[in-house]
Amino acid sequence: MLRAFSTAATGMTAQQMIVDTIANNLANMNTAGFKRSMIDFQDLVYLKLQEPGSEVAAGVEAPSGFELGSGVRPASTLRVFTQGELENTGRQFDVAMQGDGFFKIRLPNGDERFTRDGSFRVNADGELVTASGYIVEPGITVPSDARSVSIGTDGTVTVFKGAENTASTLGRITLVRFPNPAGLTAEGGNLLAETPASGKPTEGTAGEEGFGSIQQGFLERSNVQMVSELVNLITAQRAYEINARAIRAGDEMLNTANQLIR
Amino acid sequence: METEMTTDMAAALSALTRQYEAITHNLANANTVGYKRRLIVFTMLDGTTGGTSAAGATATETSPTIVDSDFVDFSQGSLVHTGRSLDVALHGKGFLVMETAGGERYTRNGVFRTNAQGQLVDAQGRTVAGEGGPLTIPPSVSILQVQIGEDGRVLAAGTEIGKLRIVEFEDPKGLIPVGENVYEDPADSRPAAATDTTVHQGFQEGSNVKAVQELVALIQVARLYEANVRIVSASSELSKDLIRVALG
């Protein structure tokens, strides 16, 4: 009986985690480049009370065994890397990626991070940086006399500067891809970090070999779908309620049993 | 007489407790992808009707024994759309095969990902079995370009890299759940390739636990438990009265 209480408690914890994840997804519904997460659950190990084929009464063999489950546990959170909608912002340093890949970002301490958020800008030195001010690799410096900057679908950054009538190339924004993007860890600030599970990044040119293409003047919206999140929220809430209900029923049963000794 | 009754009731109470435990386990897994609900079946082995064995042991006039065995209800769960390219849901009686160090495991949970080598794996890192070995997505192909057909063929950017191994059991009741969403086949029956099972990419098969069904069972168990406890206490009152009469 007491085991069943902890079983139901694992159920409540699991539903609680779903609600937490949904809350985070919904909170980031308007975060550029945000990818929604979901939790993958697994049933817990079974307690073998009786092996199949064991003798249960004189000469009677159990047709099947008896295993008692002990609940559920979260196996992992999964980031779902489906494409978000592209929204036209008209800003010349906003870039959105259509397809697979990440922008590579360099932190001040030299570490590399990865993002889908392409709301870039230039800092005081003319360097292309993220909204948090981190350098976008491989490092592009926009001259101070630039008239207009254009970013091609392959990531090539060209500029018209001063009184020149021909465009000059500043460099190319390269993209990286991982064998297992779901293995990247989220660090907040729209940044993801490499892990042993994600595998080593492959660098490449936008639009080639499975890499997404780059759209200037657009931002990739989050891929959170409000309706489906809300539906999941209701499901989780109800499941939580029912698990709590199961504990209450067990409590009543124990209470009845306790009345035996009076 | 009352002791016999009390033991019967005690057996009933422990059986009901187990049923209660099974219900809580089902409810805890109401949102576990590919989970199949478990149900407990009680059989009353009466001393006179059942209980004869091949060994020829004669039936005795003992109190009936409650035999409980548990079954997995392998009915289809509903398919929920997720849009993830590496989510596959099965429709039909088949199972996906996972390769582990301890042999093959079978599952209905098709929430896959890739490992650092690009192989298709599950949450525990077990490799998904293809008909010709593990399915490896080449590094030049993004996982968004993976297509899985209804027949289980896996295409990476249009090139076939293999086919999911989907098997079917004549009697899936022999499968033993070992946790972590997989089943083990103790008989090692080398299951045949599934015939009527279709694969749906971008979907997950929801748990087949139905809240209402479980709640009804829960109420039943709670009430039966209460009734049994009542009988036990009534019978103990009865024996007290008997003793009082006997002793004057």
Side-chain angles (χ1 to χ4, degrees):
Chain A
M1 184 75 79
L2 295 171
R3 189 170 46 219
F5 283 165
S6 65
T7 304
T10 62
M12 289 174 75
T13 317
Q15 307 312 327
Q16 175 67 54
M17 277 180 187
I18 299 183
V19 173
D20 290 346
T21 313
I22 294 172
N24 186 51
N25 287 346
L26 286 174
N28 283 294
M29 212 166 67
N30 282 324
T31 306
F34 179 82
K35 299 293 172 197
R36 74 186 183 91
S37 290
M38 57 184 195
I39 305 189
D40 187 19
F41 291 103
Q42 290 182 336
D43 49 353
L44 280 173
V45 283
Y46 290 79
L47 197 74
K48 270 207 180 76
L49 295 183
Q50 180 183 295
E51 293 283 340
S54 57
E55 200 170 87
V56 286
V60 180
E61 284 185 356
S64 62
F66 195 100
E67 289 106 20
L68 221 50
S70 42
V72 63
R73 75 175 180 102
S76 64
T77 50
L78 265 183
R79 208 160 271 279
V80 183
F81 286 96
T82 51
Q83 179 70 41
E85 280 168 33
L86 301 193
E87 184 190 23
N88 189 347
T89 59
R91 287 184 60 242
Q92 65 176 349
F93 293 118
D94 276 349
V95 285
M97 210 185 299
Q98 174 99 48
D100 197 9
F102 296 92
F103 298 111
K104 191 156 91 178
I105 307 298
R106 187 161 301 279
L107 299 189
N109 67 7
D111 284 353
E112 284 173 359
R113 293 292 181 269
F114 308 92
T115 189
R116 289 282 295 190
D117 174 13
S119 54
F120 301 144
R121 53 211 68 198
V122 288
N123 65 12
D125 303 327
E127 292 165 315
L128 194 64
V129 293
T130 65
S132 319
Y134 302 138
I135 306 278
V136 179
E137 287 282 288
I140 284 157
T141 309
V142 179
S144 53
D145 57 348
R147 292 201 320 269
S148 81
V149 177
S150 64
I151 302 169
T153 52
D154 63 349
T156 312
V157 184
T158 48
V159 66
F160 285 97
K161 55 184 177 189
E164 287 174 15
N165 280 329
T166 48
S168 48
T169 306
L170 292 178
R172 178 189 281 155
I173 301 172
T174 50
L175 302 183
V176 294
R177 217 178 53 214
F178 291 88
N180 176 23
L184 295 167
T185 57
E187 297 221 318
N190 292 349
L191 299 180
L192 298 164
E194 182 190 332
T195 66
S198 66
K200 291 274 162 225
T202 344
E203 206 159 326
T205 309
E208 288 174 13
E209 282 189 329
F211 283 98
S213 60
I214 288 177
Q215 300 285 326
Q216 186 184 17
F218 285 84
L219 275 184
E220 183 186 1
R221 302 288 305 265
S222 79
N223 64 350
V224 178
Q225 304 277 333
M226 193 174 71
V227 175
S228 64
E229 297 293 331
L230 288 181
V231 168
N232 292 342
L233 186 65
I234 294 169
T235 321
Q237 197 186 349
R238 288 285 168 248
Y240 185 87
E241 228 173 281
I242 293 165
N243 276 291
R245 181 70 223 260
I247 294 183
R248 208 185 316 143
D251 187 35
E252 279 166 19
M253 281 158 72
L254 273 188
N255 190 31
T256 330
N258 276 334
Q259 287 168 6
L260 268 178
I261 320 158
R262 265 197 311 190
Chain B
M1 166 252 172
E2 84 284 349
T3 38
E4 198 179 291
M5 189 185 244
T6 315
T7 27
D8 286 356
M9 292 308 139
L13 288 181
S14 87
L16 286 168
T17 306
R18 287 196 205 174
Q19 193 158 24
Y20 169 65
E21 283 170 341
I23 296 171
T24 53
H25 181 63
N26 283 341
L27 288 176
N29 284 289
N31 272 330
T32 304
V33 173
Y35 178 79
K36 298 293 169 198
R37 69 185 275 264
R38 308 170 60 69
L39 56 154
I40 293 185
V41 178
F42 296 106
T43 327
M44 208 56 148
L45 277 187
D46 194 75
T48 45
T49 54
T52 41
S53 69
T58 45
T60 45
E61 280 293 319
T62 51
S63 60
T65 322
I66 297 173
V67 180
D68 38 8
S69 46
D70 67 332
F71 293 100
V72 181
D73 169 7
F74 282 106
S75 62
Q76 177 74 39
S78 55
L79 302 191
V80 184
H81 182 254
T82 61
R84 255 188 97 234
S85 61
L86 297 184
D87 277 349
V88 293
L90 298 186
H91 190 274
K93 290 195 296 180
F95 289 86
L96 293 155
V97 184
M98 296 290 153
E99 304 278 8
T100 69
E104 287 180 353
R105 298 286 181 274
Y106 308 97
T107 188
R108 292 283 292 195
N109 176 306
V111 182
F112 299 141
R113 56 216 86 197
T114 47
N115 61 15
Q117 290 83 46
Q119 288 174 333
L120 220 53
V121 294
D122 74 355
Q124 290 302 108
R126 295 174 286 225
T127 20
V128 180
E131 284 185 348
L135 300 157
T136 310
I137 296 159
S140 61
V141 177
S142 126
I143 55 165
L144 298 177
Q145 294 170 298
V146 174
Q147 279 178 314
I148 302 170
E150 285 212 352
D151 55 353
R153 282 191 311 136
V154 184
L155 305 174
T159 327
E160 186 168 341
I161 56 165
K163 192 174 174 204
L164 288 170
R165 214 180 126 215
I166 298 163
V167 296
E168 189 170 272
F169 292 87
E170 263 177 45
D171 180 24
K173 286 201 168 54
L175 291 175
I176 292 182
V178 289
E180 291 162 351
N181 296 338
V182 295
Y183 297 90
E184 208 182 304
D185 180 18
D188 199 19
S189 59
R190 302 250 134 238
T195 45
D196 284 333
T197 304
T198 50
V199 180
H200 301 269
Q201 185 184 23
F203 285 86
Q204 294 180 345
E205 183 185 354
S207 157
N208 70 348
V209 173
K210 288 179 192 70
V212 176
Q213 212 172 9
E214 302 294 332
L215 274 183
V216 169
L218 190 66
I219 293 167
Q220 248 168 15
V221 166
R223 292 289 163 257
L224 280 176
Y225 192 90
E226 213 178 302
N228 277 297
V229 169
R230 288 250 171 84
I231 293 170
V232 173
S233 55
S235 102
S236 89
E237 287 298 317
L238 200 69
S239 61
K240 261 188 223 159
D241 288 349
L242 268 177
I243 292 166
R244 210 177 302 135
V245 170
L247 296 180

